């Protein structure tokens, strides 16, 4: 069994959880609009054109209301009570572009913002907010042919239950009934689950748009729960890959290959994951080098040439992270891999941290490199 | 355009929102276990073998915490603060079996229970709790072949966007590539959306189990958003069916018939809905009698022989409700329909109100009657 000491990896998540973009000295533009991730009809939270977020929460008899986002540290944004019983507050500076998890502390208890949709992260359903990004077009819902996201329940003898996975099938999958497709197995991070890549990551829309633009050959994506939350935060050394590896290799892949029209071989099977899902990807691809031909670690560590030595050669090693993480480590690893004769590509997401905007962009970069 | 005055229909929902079962005089059994709808690893809320619910919420500096369930009225359950900063409380009596929505009022503001999963109802994501039912086997997750729930995004010219629907395809759909299937269009109620029938209703598991038992011929279910929330509570007279009818009849059905292997004719197409989705079902089936052959209203009103007079005869009219609603109206309507020569079936869910247990059971009763 391979063990990793990736506590440094997860330290990013803490440090960047409330990450602010460069704070400007200009005035706050009063062009706030509801976040696109609000619950239907909800006016708050709002975001402005500079990336500031404003929160408004009804709690007329509360003594303190604080939002976990906005000050770049543990403080978050302290809201101020108005005479109407609504607490209101604006982040101290612009937020990084893209998706952020947050929660609201009301009189010492942690709750969600009733205005925002919820997203599974930190082993709980958290509130989510979307800061419009300059490059948001690549994951926008557009008038193009759309694939499907299918919820499957597959039998798992090793865990004695039916387990859930989501399967993205590209547009045309139902029409082209003689065509078979490559498959990417795509893992979430610690504290998340199989809903993350669709809900937070918009993986299906990234794919629909890339396919509509003719930039990729259509493929299937499979997303399941990586059993990452069985380990407590900071106790990553205690994590054992075997239970999830068994589910993935011995149960899910055979199920997918027998229930979808897949190209069921190494050269048409990829595995990638973000953060702790990257750690899982590295471990499993090294344990099972005959199963996957393409590897991707998104803010999830690196491979060294020594890791790969003596095994079936991967067709691609893709390594990425945000520029606010440790891009030098990713770049150096890719330089080393290339020098050792491996096909390896790095990608650094500018001005983002250990958050989903990094991973949306990473998938957008990775997808065109797969199954060449 | 047909208008309905169904305010009485929705009055049930208010009256029964915090419905208690018959309160016993016996002591509360201290065999509480976490609700099956809790977030991963959460110990509270809990339910006991008698149907009592117990809540425990961390809010150390709050002055009042109240749960909306448990007293049969607007009062709900008032929690009491412990020295550890947790507020705790138990319902005044046993709850009705099945699924209940609820929320938590913290110092005057409405939030969700951080321990529970969220479900879309009342035009917001609410907390949910499951009171184990004596008949829960029919919607349990079992070791049987499972169908899929597919999220599709279909183009809608009338609303100028891509709209979401969920499509249940039965086990074997991907293997039996020459087989075509009937389709049930199944609508949620006011305040809910296209997620309700899967998340709260467990429609996919009800189907998987019925198919595994050989009790029904497999069919497809399509669930989309009925645009019901464009109307304010109590202003049901202002609701216009045309926008949704256009989406359903002119956009969704053609999309489903061209992207799934359907039997695309009246005799193999059903429409059913719960509560306000029943109102929509009644209106649309009467407006478009050539489109659907089977009609189902679940706690959603009735048809009279006069409604159906002079139109293409439905193959089935199914009417249901909970015994705590107005079962006499449903029974009388079916008697009248039968007397007028229509194939009509009534179903009364015992000891349930205007809640999802009524509708799970109703679907379980309706499914074997369809597409005969």
């Amino acid at each position: 069994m391979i063990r990793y000491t990736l506590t440094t990896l997860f330290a990013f998540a803490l440090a960047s959880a409330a990450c602010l973009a460069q704070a400007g000295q200009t005035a706050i533009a009063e062009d706030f609009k509801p976040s696109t991730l609000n619950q239907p009809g909800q006016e708050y939270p709002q975001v402005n054109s500079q990336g500031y977020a404003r929160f408004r929460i009804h709690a007329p008899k509360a003594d303190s209301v604080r939002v976990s986002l906005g000050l770049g540290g543990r403080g978050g944004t302290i809201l101020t009570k108005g005479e109407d019983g609504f607490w209101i507050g604006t982040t101290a500076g612009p937020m990084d572009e893209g998706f952020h998890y947050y929660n609201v502390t009301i009189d010492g208890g942690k709750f969600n913002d009733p205005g925002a949709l919820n997203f599974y992260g930190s082993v709980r359903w958290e509130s989510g907010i979307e800061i419009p990004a300059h490059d948001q077009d690549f994951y926008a819902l557009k008038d193009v042919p759309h694939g499907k996201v299918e919820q499957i329940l597959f039998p798992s003898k090793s865990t004695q239950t039916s387990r859930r996975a989501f399967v993205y099938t590209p547009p045309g999958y139902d029409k082209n009934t003689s065509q078979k497709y490559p498959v990417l197995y795509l893992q979430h991070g610690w504290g998340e689950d199989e809903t993350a890549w669709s809900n937070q990551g918009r993986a299906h829309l990234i794919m629909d748009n890339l396919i509509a633009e003719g930039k990729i050959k259509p493929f299937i994506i499979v997303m399941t729960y990586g059993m990452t939350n069985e380990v407590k935060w900071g106790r990553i050394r205690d994590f054992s890959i075997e239970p999830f590896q068994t589910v993935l290799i011995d149960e899910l892949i055979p199920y997918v290959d027998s229930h979808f029209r897949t190209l069921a071989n190494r050269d048409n099977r990829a595995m990638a994951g973000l953060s702790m899902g990257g750690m899982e990807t590295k471990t499993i691809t090294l344990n099972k080098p005959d199963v996957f031909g393409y590897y991707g670690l998104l803010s999830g560590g690196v491979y060294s040439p020594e890791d790969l030595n003596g095994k079936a050669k991967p067709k691609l090693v893709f390594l990425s992270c945000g520029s606010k993480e440790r891009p030098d480590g990713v770049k150096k690893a890719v330089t080393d891999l290339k020098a050792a004769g491996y096909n390896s590509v790095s990608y650094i997401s500018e001005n983002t941290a250990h958050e989903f905007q990094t991973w949306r962009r990473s998938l957008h970069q990775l997808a065109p490199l797969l199954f060449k």
Side-chain angles (χ1 to χ4, degrees), chain A:
Chain A
M1 183 183 140
I2 300 173
R3 287 184 181 277
Y4 287 89
T5 57
L6 290 184
T7 45
T8 52
L9 184 72
F10 299 104
F12 286 125
L14 273 177
S16 64
C19 209
L20 290 182
Q22 291 290 333
Q25 299 298 315
T26 51
I28 298 178
E30 286 299 331
D31 56 359
F32 286 88
K33 292 177 185 163
S35 161
T36 55
L37 300 184
N38 284 4
Q39 294 195 26
Q42 293 296 315
E43 287 294 310
Y44 284 84
Q46 297 192 338
V47 294
N48 81 351
S49 56
Q50 301 160 309
Y52 284 79
R54 180 168 288 168
F55 304 91
R56 183 171 183 266
I57 288 166
H58 187 243
K61 296 173 192 162
D63 294 320
S64 73
V65 178
R66 181 167 55 77
V67 170
S68 63
L69 276 179
L71 285 178
R74 286 174 170 251
T77 299
I78 294 170
L79 307 193
T80 305
K81 188 178 176 179
E83 290 184 4
D84 57 359
F86 283 88
W87 295 73
I88 196 159
T90 307
T91 54
M95 309 285 299
D96 282 351
E97 293 184 343
F99 175 86
H100 306 277
Y101 295 108
Y102 71 101
N103 54 63
V104 183
T105 299
I106 315 282
D107 285 354
K110 192 193 285 187
F111 299 91
N112 285 342
D113 185 338
L117 292 174
N118 298 322
F119 300 85
Y120 193 69
S122 305
V123 200
R124 64 185 296 272
W125 286 87
E126 294 250 284
S127 296
I129 190 169
E130 185 76 30
I131 306 297
H134 73 283
D135 58 346
Q136 63 190 359
D137 190 66
F138 79 83
Y139 52 87
L141 175 65
K142 298 190 205 178
D143 184 18
V144 298
H146 292 290
K148 299 188 294 191
V149 178
E150 311 186 7
Q151 175 186 293
I152 62 169
L153 295 168
F154 64 98
S156 166
K157 284 191 180 171
S158 70
T159 59
Q160 295 185 299
T161 186
S162 293
R163 304 187 68 85
R164 184 170 70 166
F166 291 101
V167 180
Y168 169 82
T169 57
Y173 179 88
D174 293 306
K175 300 263 177 171
N176 312 330
T177 53
S178 61
Q179 189 174 340
K180 296 188 172 186
Y181 296 82
V183 185
L184 165 64
Y185 289 82
L186 186 59
Q187 292 306 125
H188 59 84
W190 183 87
E192 298 171 340
D193 69 8
E194 66 272 25
T195 61
W197 267 109
S198 299
N199 288 355
Q200 291 93 301
R202 303 171 77 97
H204 55 307
L205 299 180
I206 293 170
M207 292 292 290
D208 289 345
N209 291 336
L210 281 170
I211 292 167
E213 293 164 11
K215 290 184 177 167
I216 62 170
K217 207 169 61 174
F219 59 85
I220 291 169
I221 300 180
V222 177
M223 300 157 277
T224 199
Y225 173 52
M227 303 166 71
T228 55
N229 304 340
E230 314 308 312
V231 63
K232 298 282 185 196
W233 184 274
R235 297 290 296 276
I236 195 73
R237 285 166 179 271
D238 299 339
F239 182 74
S240 165
I241 197 69
E242 274 75 13
F244 175 57
Q245 182 173 295
T246 300
V247 166
L248 178 66
I249 303 292
D250 299 338
E251 296 169 348
L252 179 57
I253 290 177
Y255 185 92
V256 168
D257 283 338
S258 66
H259 286 76
F260 293 84
R261 297 195 313 278
T262 64
L263 292 162
N265 56 53
R266 179 180 187 271
D267 285 0
N268 288 289
R269 199 182 287 122
M271 183 172 183
L274 72 89
S275 194
M276 190 170 166
M279 185 199 93
E280 295 187 320
T281 298
K282 179 176 176 179
T283 311
I284 292 174
T285 53
L286 293 177
N287 284 350
K288 300 285 180 182
D290 297 331
V291 176
F292 300 99
Y294 296 79
Y295 308 169
L297 309 185
L298 320 182
S299 309
V302 300
Y303 294 88
S304 69
E306 294 70 38
D307 290 329
L308 303 170
N309 195 19
K311 299 178 189 285
K313 201 170 184 176
K315 293 175 72 79
L316 172 72
V317 177
F318 177 88
L319 304 176
S320 74
C321 70
S323 67
K324 296 185 176 185
E325 300 188 83
R326 292 188 179 173
D328 291 346
V330 162
K331 288 178 192 167
K332 179 180 183 307
V334 167
T335 302
D336 293 348
L337 287 167
K338 282 180 173 172
Y342 293 98
N343 178 31
S344 185
V345 174
S346 67
Y347 169 68
I348 309 301
S349 167
E350 287 304 318
N351 298 314
T352 63
H354 200 75
E355 292 191 285
F356 247 104
Q357 191 70 2
T358 299
W359 306 321
R360 290 170 175 167
R361 289 175 179 169
S362 295
L363 175 60
H364 185 239
Q365 295 293 322
L366 170 61
L369 305 175
L370 294 176
F371 313 121
K372 289 289 184 185

